Amino acid sequence: ASIFYTRSNVRGKAETITLGALGGPLIRRVSFAWTDPHFRWTNWSSNYTSTGEINKENPIFDSRIARVGWQLQRSLNASGSKTLLLRYSLTQTGLRRLLIPDLIPEQDLHTRLSTFAATYIHDTRDNILDAHKGQYQTFQIDFNSRLLGSNVSFGKLLLQAAYYHPISEKVTWANSIRLGFIVPFGGSHV
């Protein structure tokens, strides 16, 4: 069973609040989201989210995940094809009921990640769900540190590029490449 409630134009400022719940034999989740399209009367939009989840879909272990996050987003040009996102999230994950006790190291059974991230997106696709022409490029950098509350310290870089070109009326050439790098620091293992 699932239920979602959305309230638009909260406080008369086009803000949106969404509450949600999902319940079933394998997964239970509650969520809250608050969106402000004009954060503090600027060109930045703001999005706050929080979720809690109990997941029993994996037959080897159960997981409990709690996450809170805040994101600022801004278009960098008039056409909206260039976007900058700044994000902070705090995630707590716990694994329970391991059928194979040595499968996951003891230090990884309960993890906490405190992440600062920045993402640049350049999107010229004609349709985001069914692109026939254009490009999609992203550059994302994440930073996790024990000084910020993480269990481990590492940096992550993710690059993605996709290209779409129509060959005929019904055929589109599409290709994509993704590269990702993770570099631990401060004696952490990743």
Side-chain angles (χ1 to χ4, degrees), residues 96-162:
R96 300 178 27 178
R97 302 181 191 195
L98 261 67
L99 292 180
I100 306 169
D102 295 331
L103 178 67
I104 298 172
E106 182 70 28
Q107 69 267 23
D108 292 338
L109 290 176
H110 301 283
T111 61
R112 184 176 54 253
L113 294 178
S114 178
T115 307
F116 279 103
T119 305
Y120 170 77
I121 301 170
H122 183 225
D123 188 357
T124 61
R125 296 174 294 176
D126 59 340
N127 183 331
I128 62 172
L129 297 178
D130 187 20
H132 293 89
K133 64 179 178 179
Q135 298 179 26
Y136 179 76
Q137 301 158 346
T138 63
F139 173 87
Q140 178 179 327
I141 187 162
D142 293 7
F143 177 76
N144 292 271
S145 173
R146 287 188 173 131
L147 296 173
L148 302 173
S150 289
N151 287 51
V152 293
S153 297
F154 65 93
K156 182 171 73 170
L157 175 67
L158 180 61
L159 305 166
Q160 177 179 332

Side-chain angles (χ1 to χ4, degrees), residues 35-48:
T35 303
D36 181 356
H38 304 287
F39 178 67
R40 299 201 179 260
W41 303 278
T42 66
N43 291 334
W44 292 87
S45 65
S46 170
N47 187 17
Y48 170 81

Side-chain angles (χ1 to χ4, degrees), residues 167-178:
I167 294 176
S168 70
E169 187 175 314
K170 295 185 179 187
V171 177
T172 300
W173 172 268
N175 61 337
S176 177
I177 186 168
R178 294 180 190 147

